[in-house]
């Protein structure tokens, strides 16, 4: 199997977790504490992957400056995109809808919010998938830790967000159409991460990796941790650390 196909396959595997989470979140009435707990665990997994697999790799490849600049640039770009989408109804796209003051708006409440939610899901998912393709550049083998981290974190993201979409009155065609499209976009993002970034110098590759890391860190802080804290705040630290340690253990096996 060529490396391009490998990138596509692993990107699809990671992205499909969003669709899996959406099926569960939309079709079942999952208790809020379960959603919050799984979200906290996924946040911990991603935090570990960002630390050891992304920022750590960027630092080893090109030093502190590209790693730091890339991470800040990724966080800034994500924040700017998130602020633009928040004004259009996507502020609470990871929320499951159990709090009316922090619920996703319906199309009747805010016209265009459905499209904003879809773009928000794309904004959250693309950086994660791109680094899967980039990881193939280091020795020709995908980072299974990165794939596992993205997959584990994508399940609660899709679960909570689709539950919120259901509460906002959006139908199955919209919900599963959005997450199916994001799964395909994840596949394409992984392929582009490998094919486009592969032609650059190690310093540029390190910077791109760090950009993705910064975007993921900003996403965790802005969308995952708040939903986790909402219902599991007494145990969120322990659950998040557990996810962190699972990902850390995988990276050292």
């Amino acid at each position: 199997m060529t490396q391009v196909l490998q990138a596509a396959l692993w990107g699809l595997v990671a992205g499909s977790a969003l669709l899996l989470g959406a099926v569960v979140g939309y079709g079942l009435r999952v208790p809020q504490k379960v959603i919050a707990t799984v979200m906290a665990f996924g946040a911990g997994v991603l935090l570990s992957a960002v630390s050891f697999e992304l920022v750590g790799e960027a630092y080893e490849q090109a030093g502190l400056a590209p790693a730091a600049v890339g991470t800040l640039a990724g966080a800034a770009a994500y924040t700017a995109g998130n602020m633009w989408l928040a004004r259009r109804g996507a502020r609470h796209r990871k929320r499951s809808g159990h709090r009316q003051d922090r619920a996703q708006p319906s199309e009747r409440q805010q016209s265009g919010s459905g499209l904003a939610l879809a773009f928000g899901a794309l904004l959250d998912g693309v950086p994660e998938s791109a680094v899967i393709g980039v990881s193939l550049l280091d020795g020709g083998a995908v980072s299974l830790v990165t794939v596992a981290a993205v997959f584990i974190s994508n399940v609660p993201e899709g679960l909570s967000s689709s539950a919120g979409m259901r509460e906002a009155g959006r139908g199955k065609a919209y919900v599963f159409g959005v997450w199916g499209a994001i799964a395909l976009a994840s596949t394409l993002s992984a392929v582009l991460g490998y094919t486009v970034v592969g032609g650059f110098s190690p310093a540029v590759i390190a910077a791109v990796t760090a950009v993705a890391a910064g975007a993921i860190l900003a996403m965790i802080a802005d969308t995952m941790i708040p939903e986790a804290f909402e219902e599991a705040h007494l145990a969120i630290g322990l659950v998040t650390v557990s996810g962190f340690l699972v990902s850390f253990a995988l990276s050292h096996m």
Side-chain angles (χ1 to χ4, degrees), residues 54-214:
L54 302 183
V55 177
E57 287 291 329
Y59 173 77
E60 290 180 3
Q61 287 182 334
L64 180 60
V69 170
T71 302
L72 288 172
Y78 177 90
T79 301
N82 193 47
M83 291 173 62
W84 185 82
L85 289 168
R87 293 194 292 268
R88 287 155 178 81
R91 179 69 184 93
H92 300 301
R93 59 184 177 274
K94 288 288 198 305
R95 298 302 182 105
S96 56
H98 65 288
R99 286 278 299 270
Q100 289 302 312
D101 59 333
R102 297 173 185 173
Q104 299 175 17
S106 66
E107 197 66 25
R108 178 179 56 80
Q109 292 170 320
Q110 185 168 351
S111 179
S113 59
L115 185 61
L117 287 168
F119 277 118
L122 187 65
L123 177 69
D124 296 338
V126 164
E128 298 174 346
S129 299
V131 296
I132 292 175
V134 172
S135 72
L136 278 164
L137 299 172
D138 185 18
V142 73
S143 171
L144 293 179
V145 175
T146 301
V147 174
V150 174
F151 186 94
I152 292 171
S153 65
N154 276 348
V155 172
E157 288 182 47
L159 191 158
S160 183
S161 186
S162 64
M165 291 176 181
R166 180 192 61 209
E167 295 300 320
R170 293 188 163 85
K172 292 181 180 179
Y174 170 84
V175 174
F176 298 134
V178 165
W179 293 115
I182 300 304
L184 293 176
S186 298
T187 304
L188 179 60
S189 179
V191 170
L192 292 176
Y194 175 76
T195 57
V196 175
V197 180
F200 297 146
S201 67
V204 175
I205 293 174
V208 170
T209 302
V211 166

Side-chain angles (χ1 to χ4, degrees), residues 1 19 44 113 140 156 183:
M1 182 184 296
L19 190 57
S113 59

